[in-house]
Structures are given as C-alpha cells and as structure tokens.
Amino acid sequence: MTTVLGAIADDFTGATDLAGLLARSGVRVSLRMGAPTDPPDDTAPFEVIALKIRTAPAADAVSGACQALHWLKAAGAARFFWKYCSTFDSTPEGNIGPVAEALMAELGAEQTIYCPAFPENGRAVFMGHLFVGQEPLAESPMKDHPLTPMRDSNLVRLLQPQVSGKVGLVDRPTVARGATAVRGALARLADAGVGHVVVDAVADDDLSVIAEASRDMALITGGSALAMPLPVLCADVGALAERPEPPGTSATAIVLSGSCSAMTNRQVAAYLDSGAPAFQLDPLTLAEAGTQEVLDWLASQDLRRAPLIYATAAPDAVRAAQGRLGAARAGDIVEQVLAACARFALGAGARRFVVAGGESSGAVTQALGVNRLDVGREITPGVPWCFARSGGNAIALALKSGNFGSESFFADALAGLEAS
Ligand code: ADP
C-alpha cells in the first residue's frame, strides 16, 4: 500500500501520540523506531517515524530527519509532517526551525506552517503566543524545564533565530474567517518572501481550517493535534487501507513503570490499591545488588495477574537517588532493569506490555527487538495499543508518556485490550 502521509516525530512518545491520533480515523498507521535502513516494504497509508532528536544539536537532528524523509519518499509519501512537542520545546540553538528548513529544501517547498496547538490538552496559540492552559508558555512550569527552559511565549520570536528565512504569522481572526482567508494570508506572506508561518489555533475547529488551507503544502509542521484532520483530507486520494484487526495475544501481561511524573505516581498508587502484585525498584539497591532479586520475583509471578514492576517514586526519592548516583546513571540503571524484566517476561510468556515513561518505553521496545508497530485503538488520548512481533510472538504494547492517562490507566489499558 502506498504511503500518502509521512510523519517524522522528534521523540518516541510524541510519535506514539501522533500515530494514535491518526489511527482514530480507522486507517492503518505504522510506527517505526528510527529511520529504517531497509527499503520500504509492507507500508501503511500513514507512516510515522519516531526519532530521538528533541535535544540533539541541530546538525544531528537535520541529518536524522532527512534520512527519515528519504525513506518516506521512497515509500511513496507526497505529503510530510514534522511533529514536535506542543510546548515547542527548544532553545535559540533548537532544531525545530533547522529541521523544517532542511525538509523544505529537500522537498522544494517555499513555505510551511508551524502550529503546535493541542486544544484538547490545553495548548493554544493566540497572536503568535503559546499558552499552556491559561498561562503563557514562559510563565508555565516549562520555564524551568531542565533541558529546554522556555523563557519566551512568542513563537515568531522563538523561531526567527532558528531559521535563515523570514517568519510571519497568520492570526486567529484570520483563522476564524475560514480556510479561504487563511489561504489568502499565506499567499500574501509568500509574496513577501515569508517561508515560515506560525498559525494561531485555539480550538479543534481552527485546526481543521488550517489543515484544509495548507492541504497543498508538501510539508506542514506542528504538534500532534494538527494531524487529526488529515485522514479526512487524505481520503480523497482514494480508499486507504483500514486498520487490521489486532492479532490475538494471550492475556499474560506485565506493567513496567519508569516514569516519575505526578500522574504516573498516582497511577502506580491506584494499581497497588487494586491489589495487583508489585515489585518496587530502588536504583541504589540495584546499583549494588543487580537484577537477580527482581527477576527471581518475576519468575514466581502469575502473568495473568499483570504484575507491576516500578521505579516510579516521589520527587524527593528521585533526587536522593540522583544525588548518590548522578541523574544519568540512576536513569540508565532503571532503564536497563526494566529492559531486562521485559525480556525475561517475554521468555516467561508475557504477551502484553504496559509501559509508563517515554525513555522507559524506548528501552523496553529496544529490549524486545521491536522496531515497527501497527497502531490500534487509543486507550486514552495519545496512548494507543500497538501491535508487533517479538521473538516470533505476536505482542501488544501500550506505551505511555509521563503525564498521559487518568489514575486508572494501567487497569484501563489491560481491560481495553480485552474489549478490542
Ligand atoms: P517520562 O515520560 O515521565 O519523562 P521517562 O521514562 O522518559 O518518563 O523518564 C524517566 C527517567 O527517570 C528514566 O530515565 C528512568 O530510568 C528514571 N527513573 C525512574 N525511576 C527513578 C528513580 N526512582 N530514581 C531516579 N531515576 C529514576
């Protein structure tokens, strides 16, 4: 099946989020970890490539994104989507602009749009300013992000130092007048030599207007929500392959949690309250004693009860472990143990894997040798069940980034698969 839309995402759970939103349409969506090195084969109408370039230097991000673009072109895609975080995570040295500019050059595109709005998740762009809930980006908790502190809310100002071309804005009053008005504004900006256009959006209807107005652009860029209207727009290229029925997977499951976000802490607490068997990982103990204890515990578990293994901890405990081991080493130790547990569980017959945490999900999929997933129904916005093969077995994976899902996410995920 020829690919109609090729998407490149700057991180793993962002790609899952995007793939889940595209799959809402019922069309077959395939998610690949990293740009494939093999020529395209068995491709889906929507192909999403997950890269790990959010904080990579611009030159590395550009080369990774261009490699992905070449593969997607070879798969037949004619339209492309560059997906980044809905909080526009970047610095003046950030790579959102450089990647967009490089992809435009590859595609011969003279203009693209930037729309990180995700109204369902409280991200809105108004007069070029990005809001997180009711707060401007630079007054939201993002101002203190350890890697990408956002100290300006104005996307036009944030983007300008990242690109060599001119940056402009299509504002919300224009978007409110509909697709024809937006198209007119984009054309006037193009005549003035403006290749990079931030577009306001505060509601889902705005995103539909913007998607319609930009349907002839080879490249559009933004948060995952901008992709929601695309399946309908792409349908006019002909019938698209539908999402296949998920393969049957035995109800033997494991829940692996390496996220320490506030929501994941609540999700772990709720799952413990439900009486699920659980093992808590402590990075300090692991650093001294290794993985044997948790693997012995896992060997004694009934996988039909979906046991939980978690390193999820409150901020003071995380700080204490990081203080003793260093943040990178503490993180690595936990990720390696979660990976070892996933491999062990697979060998012991687990076929359903629920994983909390972006980096943690990357470590687990890598450990399971999974580099391509078929995207199924969403459990909660932004988190679909995905299906893959590992060691000759059909497996199902739910990969959740830190703050996604409600308190009952783990139980919901397991129950949701039963129903599908
Ligand atoms: P999120 O999606 O919430 O950011 P990630 O899995 O991407 O979750 O990141 C969480 C990081 O924290 C991982 O590198 C993980 O190994 C690390 N980590 C998990 N538990 C602990 C802990 N108790 N102490 C220190 N680091 C931890």
Side-chain angles (χ1 to χ4, degrees):
M1 174 81 209
T2 301
T3 298
V4 292
L5 180 78
I8 302 167
D10 70 352
D11 87 339
F12 186 83
T13 39
T16 318
D17 169 16
L18 171 67
L21 291 176
L22 287 168
R24 270 188 199 176
S25 63
V27 168
R28 183 165 173 227
V29 181
S30 153
L31 170 60
R32 300 179 193 254
M33 317 301 158
T37 43
D38 295 339
D41 181 33
D42 187 25
T43 51
F46 296 150
E47 286 283 344
V48 180
I49 296 182
L51 300 178
K52 199 170 183 306
I53 55 172
R54 170 149 322 149
T55 51
D60 296 349
V62 163
S63 95
C66 287
Q67 202 189 333
L69 182 80
H70 295 151
W71 189 90
L72 291 167
K73 269 178 152 177
R79 298 202 63 205
F80 301 87
F81 190 97
W82 161 224
K83 191 272 172 199
Y84 38 81
C85 192
S86 61
T87 41
F88 210 75
D89 300 16
S90 60
T91 62
E93 295 80 43
N95 61 43
I96 293 177
V99 167
E101 211 155 42
L103 297 179
M104 287 167 77
E106 289 273 343
L107 294 167
E110 303 215 320
Q111 192 180 55
T112 191
I113 57 165
Y114 296 78
C115 185
F118 196 157
E120 211 176 320
N121 282 352
R123 314 285 196 259
V125 184
F126 183 67
M127 298 300 168
H129 288 70
L130 180 58
F131 287 80
V132 177
Q134 297 184 339
E135 292 171 324
L137 177 67
E139 293 170 34
S140 77
M142 282 303 294
K143 70 181 187 307
D144 299 319
H145 190 282
L147 301 175
T148 51
M150 301 306 289
R151 300 284 162 79
D152 192 351
S153 308
N154 185 318
L155 297 180
V156 176
R157 268 198 311 256
L158 282 168
L159 187 57
Q160 189 63 78
Q162 295 187 17
V163 292
S164 56
K166 282 197 236 171
V167 181
L169 173 70
V170 173
D171 65 14
R172 158 82 180 147
T174 308
V175 175
R177 296 209 314 275
T180 309
V182 173
R183 232 179 265 123
L186 289 170
R188 280 189 296 282
L189 287 165
D191 288 345
V194 177
H196 306 271
V197 186
V198 174
V199 188
D200 279 356
V202 300
D204 282 348
D205 286 350
D206 296 340
L207 297 173
S208 300
V209 166
I210 295 163
E212 168 69 32
S214 58
R215 65 188 300 165
D216 295 330
M217 285 184 175
L219 174 74
I220 58 174
T221 87
S224 53
L226 181 60
M228 270 192 291
L230 297 181
V232 174
L233 292 176
C234 289
D236 61 4
V237 301
L240 301 178
E242 285 178 17
R243 189 168 66 212
E245 276 302 305
T249 49
S250 120
T252 39
I254 184 163
V255 182
L256 299 165
S257 183
S259 161
C260 295
S261 71
M263 181 45 84
T264 306
N265 269 283
R266 286 162 57 193
Q267 289 162 341
V268 165
Y271 199 60
L272 294 175
D273 276 353
S274 75
F279 188 101
Q280 182 172 18
L281 299 172
D282 169 27
L284 295 171
T285 315
L286 292 169
E288 276 167 27
T291 52
Q292 204 51 51
E293 191 189 354
V294 61
L295 296 182
D296 288 345
W297 179 84
L298 189 50
S300 70
Q301 294 304 303
D302 176 358
L303 294 172
R304 279 166 305 187
R305 293 188 63 208
L308 163 70
I309 294 173
Y310 66 105
T312 305
D316 50 352
V318 174
R319 269 193 297 275
Q322 289 178 334
R324 295 273 296 277
L325 299 167
R329 176 142 184 262
D332 276 356
I333 289 173
V334 169
E335 284 170 38
Q336 278 172 28
V337 174
L338 292 176
C341 290
R343 263 192 310 265
F344 186 91
L346 179 76
R351 297 294 177 262
R352 299 176 178 183
F353 298 79
V354 179
V355 190
E359 296 297 325
S360 308
S361 294
V364 167
T365 44
Q366 200 175 15
L368 295 175
V370 168
N371 51 24
R372 183 216 165 142
L373 297 156
D374 268 315
V375 182
R377 192 177 302 155
E378 279 176 305
I379 302 155
T380 190
V383 194
W385 267 112
C386 295
F387 304 94
R389 294 197 69 78
S390 175
N393 306 293
I395 62 165
L397 295 125
L399 308 168
K400 182 194 85 81
S401 100
N403 277 314
F404 280 35
S406 65
E407 258 173 43
S408 55
F409 175 80
F410 296 144
D412 293 350
L414 294 162
L417 196 59
E418 225 64 76
S420 63

